Amino acid sequence: MPASGIEVLFEGRNLVRLLGGLWTSLWIALSAMAVSVVLGLPMGVLMTSRHRLVKLVLRIYLEAIRVLPQLVLLFVFYFDLTLVTGVNLSGELAALIVFALWGTAEMGDLVRGAISAIPRHQYQSAAALGLRPTQVQFHVVLPQSARRLLPLAVNLVTRMIKTTSLIVLIGVVEVLKVGQQIIDRNRFDFPDAALWVYATIFLLYFLVCFPISRLAQALERKLDL
Amino acid sequence: MELSVLRAYLPAYLQAAEATLAIAGLGLVGSTLLGLVIAVAQYFRWPGARPVTAVYVELSRNTPLVVQLFFLYYGLPKLGLVWGSGVCAVVGLTFLGGSYMAEACRSGLEAVEPHQSQSALALGLGPGPALRHVVLPQALALATPAFTANAIFLIKETSVVSIIAYPDLVYVAKDYIGNDYNTSEALALLVAFYLVILLPVSLGAAAWERRLRHAGFGD
């Protein structure tokens, strides 16, 4: 009887290897996200400052990162920057740098949006109560912005994880690459392996991203009440 | 950077840009139609629409396009569904974009006050004409900012289709990097072509939004 192909997943360590490949992507995504949060917070605060030049520079950074597909940025860093600077970047490191740059820009914009959404009377009331500008920021503006920011930042995590799937195009051995290896290895025993392997990878991404999206939605609803 | 190399590569990039724009355009049309159908189905509570569309939206939004394309191009043929890379690219973009467009249309539809459709019905319009002439024009104007943001997102997402061997801009750039080692030239052209495509779209979208807001719709 010809095998349907689903058995290929349970041959040897295939499933474990797929999970290992997924972890490579997740590890890069989560590291880039951590950098983005750390750098994006001050960036967003600076984007709401009164200094024209600071605002202009950050705006240009944001738009320059945003206008191009992330894959193009990845190519420029992976192929070109290494040529120009002579520094040899691994695919993982190039990806980490690019996604951190992108994430910082996106996070900065989310923080800017959250701060801008604070009504002006909050500032005025705080000032009327005698708070100094730094106190207004730390005790009035930032705590309220954080509540608005949280669901959006959680959502950015799923976008980051989905974006990280691009690293297969610069030769990082991640879940899709491991999947290809498994399919090629079992070409003769399980000719239909591709269907099951790619369906599994699809499902794995869904299982990772769905709970995070749900968390973001729940936070958003909780905030509305 | 060699100018002569840039010139020699230009024709191939122009052709690839056409290929990129073709799938972006078709993907955009497909996503918009799918999104509109889903939003209207949810709005009128067609029987069974909620659970089916909810499953689709969650699957579409919580998986990357790269993985969707791999499944369509390499997985589905095992079930007897063999599509070319262009068809897969458009189907993939539609699958991805449909959920984003549905969300844009849904928020637009919900923002049109119920008395608008009630008044239309009271004036004797049938449900179809009321939707076409009264609700949708207003809803679509309200959905414009989200729509243009999605359009730009989808055009950028087309950049991954070279993984299923569709000859787009990235495919050509990779080809020249691999064959000629003219990395800087190939990437400079890649960036330039995406800027030429994306900048007018971004600026045009911003201008269009301003006009709609001026007409008293945008907020």
Side-chain angles (χ1 to χ4, degrees):
Chain A
M1 197 188 94
S4 82
I6 196 168
E7 299 89 341
V8 72
L9 296 171
F10 310 105
E11 287 282 302
R13 299 179 57 249
N14 283 351
L15 206 54
V16 179
R17 288 185 58 207
L18 278 180
L19 289 173
L22 187 65
W23 177 244
T24 305
S25 308
L26 288 183
W27 172 83
I28 293 173
L30 296 178
S31 311
M33 191 64 209
V35 177
S36 305
V37 170
V38 170
L39 297 180
L41 288 173
M43 174 172 165
V45 173
L46 284 176
M47 282 181 90
T48 58
S49 80
R50 279 202 209 92
H51 297 279
R52 283 253 176 82
L53 186 66
V54 172
K55 270 162 76 169
L56 184 71
V57 169
L58 291 175
R59 190 84 221 170
I60 290 173
Y61 166 66
L62 172 68
E63 297 299 339
I65 292 273
R66 236 190 212 167
V67 71
L68 286 171
Q70 290 101 331
L71 180 63
V72 174
L73 293 176
L74 202 54
F75 269 38
V76 169
F77 270 78
Y78 184 62
F79 291 120
D80 212 7
L81 203 69
T82 47
L83 264 185
V84 175
T85 59
V87 182
N88 201 1
L89 288 179
S90 70
E92 283 93 336
L93 193 58
L96 191 58
I97 294 172
V98 167
F99 295 141
L101 284 174
W102 171 70
T104 301
E106 292 287 344
M107 187 71 192
D109 198 40
L110 294 180
V111 173
R112 181 199 58 75
I115 293 177
S116 308
I118 304 292
R120 202 182 315 160
H121 67 77
Q122 292 281 344
Y123 292 88
Q124 291 162 345
S125 314
L129 286 169
L131 272 72
R132 284 192 298 276
T134 48
Q135 288 176 317
V136 175
Q137 282 291 333
F138 279 99
H139 296 297
V140 179
V141 177
L142 290 181
Q144 294 187 71
S145 311
R147 273 164 40 102
R148 282 170 206 271
L149 181 65
L150 198 57
L152 300 171
V154 173
N155 225 357
L156 186 58
V157 177
T158 64
R159 285 168 66 199
M160 184 66 86
I161 291 171
K162 287 186 288 178
T163 305
T164 310
S165 65
L166 297 176
I167 56 178
V168 68
L169 280 122
I170 55 166
V172 177
V173 180
E174 45 67 80
V175 64
L176 282 166
K177 208 78 197 166
V178 173
Q180 278 177 338
Q181 292 169 352
I182 292 173
I183 292 161
D184 288 337
R185 167 69 181 75
N186 297 283
R187 183 72 66 200
F188 298 108
D189 298 331
F190 302 100
D192 290 344
L195 177 68
W196 297 104
V197 169
Y198 290 133
T200 305
I201 295 173
F202 186 91
L203 196 69
L204 286 177
Y205 265 104
F206 178 77
L207 290 176
V208 171
C209 291
F210 180 65
I212 305 176
S213 309
R214 268 295 146 106
L215 175 66
Q217 280 169 16
L219 286 169
E220 208 170 333
R221 259 199 302 275
K222 209 176 136 198
L223 201 110
D224 268 355
L225 288 174
Chain B
M1 193 153 330
E2 295 270 345
L3 219 62
S4 60
V5 174
L6 293 180
R7 209 161 336 163
Y9 286 178
L10 203 55
Y13 274 86
L14 282 170
Q15 209 177 357
E18 224 171 274
T20 289
L21 286 175
I23 51 162
L26 290 172
L28 208 53
V29 171
S31 312
T32 308
L33 291 177
L34 181 60
L36 200 57
V37 169
I38 290 174
V40 169
Q42 288 182 342
Y43 186 71
F44 288 105
R45 299 170 202 280
W46 290 356
R50 282 256 160 199
V52 173
T53 55
V55 169
Y56 157 68
V57 166
E58 294 301 343
L59 284 177
S60 153
R61 297 201 80 142
N62 289 305
T63 50
L65 180 61
V66 179
V67 174
Q68 296 168 4
L69 290 175
F70 262 76
F71 182 75
L72 285 171
Y73 191 68
Y74 298 108
L76 280 190
K78 306 296 177 194
L79 289 177
L81 265 179
V82 186
W83 286 333
S85 57
V87 177
C88 276
V90 172
V91 172
L93 285 168
T94 302
F95 180 82
L96 175 79
S99 62
Y100 287 83
M101 288 302 186
E103 173 59 25
C105 296
R106 186 198 60 79
S107 62
L109 278 171
E110 282 180 5
V112 177
E113 305 214 18
H115 70 74
Q116 291 282 345
S117 63
Q118 289 159 4
S119 312
L121 293 174
L123 284 169
L125 272 75
L131 179 70
R132 259 202 320 279
H133 300 300
V134 178
V135 179
L136 273 187
Q138 298 183 65
L140 294 182
L142 289 165
T144 298
F147 175 83
T148 53
N150 290 346
I152 294 166
F153 164 74
L154 274 182
I155 297 174
K156 282 158 68 180
E157 285 286 302
T158 63
S159 62
V160 305
V161 293
S162 62
I163 50 151
I164 56 167
Y166 186 80
D168 76 328
L169 287 166
V170 171
Y171 185 94
V172 172
K174 263 200 307 199
D175 225 27
Y176 281 135
I177 293 172
N179 289 337
D180 303 352
Y181 301 115
N182 287 325
T183 308
S184 299
E185 288 85 355
L187 288 173
L189 280 171
L190 181 67
V191 170
F193 268 83
Y194 270 114
L195 285 180
V196 167
I197 293 173
L198 287 163
L199 273 180
V201 178
S202 304
L203 296 175
W208 189 21
E209 264 170 51
R210 266 198 302 276
R211 254 190 68 178
L212 281 173
R213 202 165 299 150
H214 194 69
F217 283 117
D219 48 19

